[in-house]
Amino acid sequence: MTPQLQQAIKMLQLSNLELTDFIDVEIQQNPLLERRERELGENTHRDQVSTGESASMTAAPQMLTGEFTPDAPEHWQPEWGEDGDRPVDFGGEPQPWRNHSGGFDAEARSGLDQTATRLRTLREHLLEQIGTDLTDQGDRVIALHLLDLLDEDGYLRAGLDGVTQLLGCSVDRVEGVLARLQQFDPAGVFARDLKECLALQLRDRNRLDPAMQALLDHLPFLAARNIPALVRVCRVDAADVADMISEIKSLDPRPGLAFDPPLAQPVVPDILMRARPKGGWIVELNAETLPRVLVNNSYYARIRQATRSKAEKDYLTERLHAANWLVKSLHQRAITILKVAAEIVRQQDAFFRYGVPSLRPLILRDIADAIGMHESTISRVTSNKYIATPRGLYELKYFFTSAIAAASGNGAHSAEAVRHRIRALIDGEPADGILSDERIVELLHSEGVDIARRTVAKYREAMRIASSVQRRRDKLLAL
């Protein structure tokens, strides 16, 4: 296997973010490669190609869309843009967050203005309180060291021994400063464990009575929903325990995140899918996620004329071949992704029309045989690739599910569709009619699904649904 082939295989399984990082590294290593960003006002409509000042550069041909109807899959044919020496980018519809001129619309600008004000971080919020409430300089130094030990949840999980040794002060003084810090806003901050965090919030509400303290001392009983044990240790009746549990649920076990919420990386789809006006689907690559990598042929020709040694000429030739191979690999990657995505859409047409219950069993071999590729290639293409559909955003691997035999012996059901049905049955059960796993098996069998009880239990646990005994206990408690 040549290094170029290894590179192409590696690129095939990269997500759009990983591919961007990979391209950045290649551009740094190869002087003949350039990234051409889309200019403001540039039209990205799929019927047009880019033209401009870089006519001596080459890029992969433009890939546009694939259209097909489910009843006539042979009508689907990818449409290709022009080949040539001018830079051509991968096509696609303008995205909804941009207007047709390539700029942001008024609504988007107003959203940017609203988010311009940065919220204060937890550290900034606590620093202000330290400066206001602690007048002794030594206490402030201790407080700043404790603040540095605070994690993102607002917990002080490290011990106090390190602070006492570093600052040369007594444990009593450090604990005294910590006690004052635990009175800061938000309530529960600087706690050393969950029990202390909840106790601090209850004390702030003036609700830390002996019964509540006993409940906090026996949190494992609460986690197990062992109401009789809580009634016994708290020395109250079941109604009081229910009220106490409701109050515990209203507390924040991670008070620090109110100021520093974890940054969620949005998923950007690699493939866009929409319905055709007269039936069928249109599948296209998302132009926003495809890198626009160009080979600067004019720069190569100019440098080639100025080189004299054989080593320099060999280096330039090798860099040119590597650059052309990278562009070719990007083009082939785009073709492969589009082919695989279009075939998945064709075979899962019922899902996009009617929802999860109509999801059909599908394995990698089915797609590989349909488009004439190896299963390993399909596996790489479907890893970390997402498609935006009328029903939402899905990873391509979502559509591959194992088969569960039908009760009649003819046909099969998708495992994902069966899981969806199990969840629907459990969500619809009344408090006085909790479904056991055996009863779910009977209901599924009456609907034509041949499934074992242990499989139902496995699916239920995978969806983090409690057992029938636990669900009955929870619903009675909620009443």
Side-chain angles (χ1 to χ4, degrees):
M1 184 178 296
T2 63
Q4 292 83 0
L5 184 57
Q6 293 178 6
Q7 181 190 67
I9 293 175
K10 178 182 179 181
M11 291 170 52
L12 194 60
Q13 60 189 1
L14 296 179
S15 66
N16 48 35
L17 295 178
E18 294 170 339
L19 180 64
T20 300
D21 295 338
F22 176 79
I23 295 299
D24 289 340
V25 173
E26 291 296 318
I27 291 176
Q28 292 177 5
Q29 296 176 352
N30 195 330
L32 301 182
L33 284 174
E34 292 185 8
R35 181 190 293 277
R36 180 172 180 267
E37 303 295 342
R38 183 174 287 111
E39 299 176 357
L40 186 64
E42 181 181 348
N43 197 330
T44 59
H45 194 275
R46 65 177 184 272
D47 291 335
Q48 299 183 0
V49 295
S50 306
T51 59
E53 71 287 349
S54 303
S56 62
M57 298 182 180
T58 60
Q62 183 183 25
M63 172 173 291
L64 304 181
T65 64
E67 301 186 16
F68 66 94
T69 57
D71 298 330
E74 66 276 8
H75 291 169
W76 177 81
Q77 183 66 31
E79 303 172 4
W80 310 108
E82 301 180 24
D83 294 319
D85 292 334
R86 59 181 175 174
V88 183
D89 64 286
F90 298 112
E93 290 285 357
Q95 298 303 307
W97 55 83
R98 292 180 180 271
N99 58 30
H100 287 281
S101 64
F104 292 100
D105 55 24
E107 183 178 354
R109 285 196 298 269
S110 64
L112 290 176
D113 294 339
Q114 294 173 1
T115 58
T117 303
R118 183 181 65 85
L119 298 177
R120 286 196 304 172
T121 65
L122 176 64
R123 179 180 177 84
E124 293 170 344
H125 184 65
L126 294 174
L127 278 174
E128 180 180 334
Q129 297 178 74
I130 290 174
T132 303
D133 296 353
L134 300 181
T135 57
D136 184 83
Q137 189 65 28
D139 291 345
R140 287 185 180 181
V141 172
I142 296 174
L144 291 176
H145 278 274
L146 294 177
L147 179 60
D148 289 338
L149 298 177
L150 212 63
D151 66 12
E152 61 181 6
D153 295 334
Y155 282 82
L156 185 68
R157 303 189 187 275
L160 303 181
D161 294 339
V163 178
T164 59
Q165 294 176 5
L166 180 64
L167 300 180
C169 55
S170 64
V171 176
D172 292 340
R173 183 171 184 180
V174 174
E175 289 181 346
V177 174
L178 176 60
R180 297 180 64 181
L181 294 177
Q182 289 179 343
Q183 299 175 11
F184 284 2
D185 179 72
V189 74
F190 284 102
R192 284 164 285 190
D193 53 32
L194 177 61
K195 173 185 172 182
E196 188 174 32
C197 178
L198 300 178
L200 291 172
Q201 296 180 58
L202 291 169
R203 183 180 294 115
D204 183 69
R205 299 181 181 185
N206 197 24
R207 289 289 297 124
L208 190 60
D209 53 35
M212 189 67 79
Q213 184 63 57
L215 189 149
L216 294 179
D217 292 337
H218 297 85
L219 286 179
F221 289 160
L222 177 59
R225 297 290 195 275
N226 193 340
I227 305 303
L230 290 176
V231 170
R232 184 176 63 257
V233 299
C234 296
R235 297 182 180 181
V236 293
D237 56 25
D240 289 336
V241 169
D243 292 339
M244 294 162 61
I245 292 176
S246 297
E247 191 160 5
I248 291 291
K249 289 181 177 179
S250 68
L251 304 178
D252 188 359
R254 306 172 72 182
L257 294 186
F259 286 83
D260 300 331
L263 297 177
Q265 182 67 43
V267 175
V268 180
D270 303 86
I271 307 106
L272 305 177
M273 171 190 169
R274 53 193 171 89
R276 294 179 60 188
K278 297 183 180 181
W281 309 100
I282 296 176
V283 181
E284 57 189 346
L285 293 176
N286 185 0
E288 297 292 333
T289 66
L290 294 175
R292 295 154 60 87
V293 181
L294 310 174
V295 181
N296 197 334
N297 291 322
S298 61
Y299 177 72
Y300 166 77
R302 186 166 63 253
I303 298 300
R304 176 80 175 183
Q305 293 176 354
T307 57
R308 295 292 181 265
S309 67
K310 183 178 182 301
E312 292 176 347
K313 292 182 179 180
D314 291 344
Y315 171 76
L316 283 176
T317 301
E318 188 271 332
R319 291 291 85 191
L320 179 63
H321 291 166
N324 287 330
W325 179 267
L326 178 64
V327 172
K328 180 181 178 181
S329 298
L330 286 172
H331 175 50
Q332 186 61 43
R333 176 182 182 272
I335 295 175
T336 306
I337 291 176
L338 185 60
K339 284 184 178 180
V340 172
E343 183 61 26
I344 291 175
V345 170
R346 188 184 71 82
Q347 297 209 26
Q348 295 290 6
D349 174 72
F351 164 79
F352 298 110
R353 292 176 181 274
Y354 309 112
V356 177
S358 299
L359 192 67
R360 57 169 290 188
L362 188 67
I363 59 176
L364 298 176
R365 188 183 304 112
D366 297 334
I367 302 297
D369 293 342
I371 63 177
M373 293 184 179
H374 196 272
E375 290 181 46
S376 62
T377 302
I378 308 301
S379 178
R380 293 186 179 95
V381 170
T382 54
S383 296
N384 303 314
K385 309 295 189 308
Y386 291 84
I387 179 172
T389 75
R391 290 195 171 273
L393 186 65
Y394 295 92
E395 187 179 9
L396 291 182
K397 282 199 177 294
Y398 171 83
F399 301 103
F400 295 90
T401 61
S402 56
I404 296 179
S408 62
N410 297 323
H413 300 273
S414 165
E416 184 63 29
V418 173
R419 282 192 287 268
H420 181 269
R421 181 57 181 154
I422 291 174
R423 179 178 289 278
L425 289 172
I426 293 176
D427 289 343
E429 64 186 7
D432 57 349
I434 301 299
L435 299 175
S436 64
D437 291 345
E438 291 82 0
R439 179 55 181 161
I440 294 176
V441 170
E442 294 175 1
L443 293 175
L444 291 176
H445 193 273
S446 66
E447 297 176 2
V449 181
D450 186 12
I451 190 172
R453 186 201 62 80
R454 63 179 179 274
T455 305
V456 170
K458 182 180 70 173
Y459 288 172
R460 175 179 53 75
E461 293 171 357
M463 293 184 290
R464 297 184 178 181
I465 298 176
S467 64
S468 58
V469 175
Q470 188 65 55
R471 298 200 307 276
R472 183 179 294 106
R473 182 182 300 167
D474 292 345
K475 291 191 176 183
L476 291 176
L477 182 62
L479 295 177

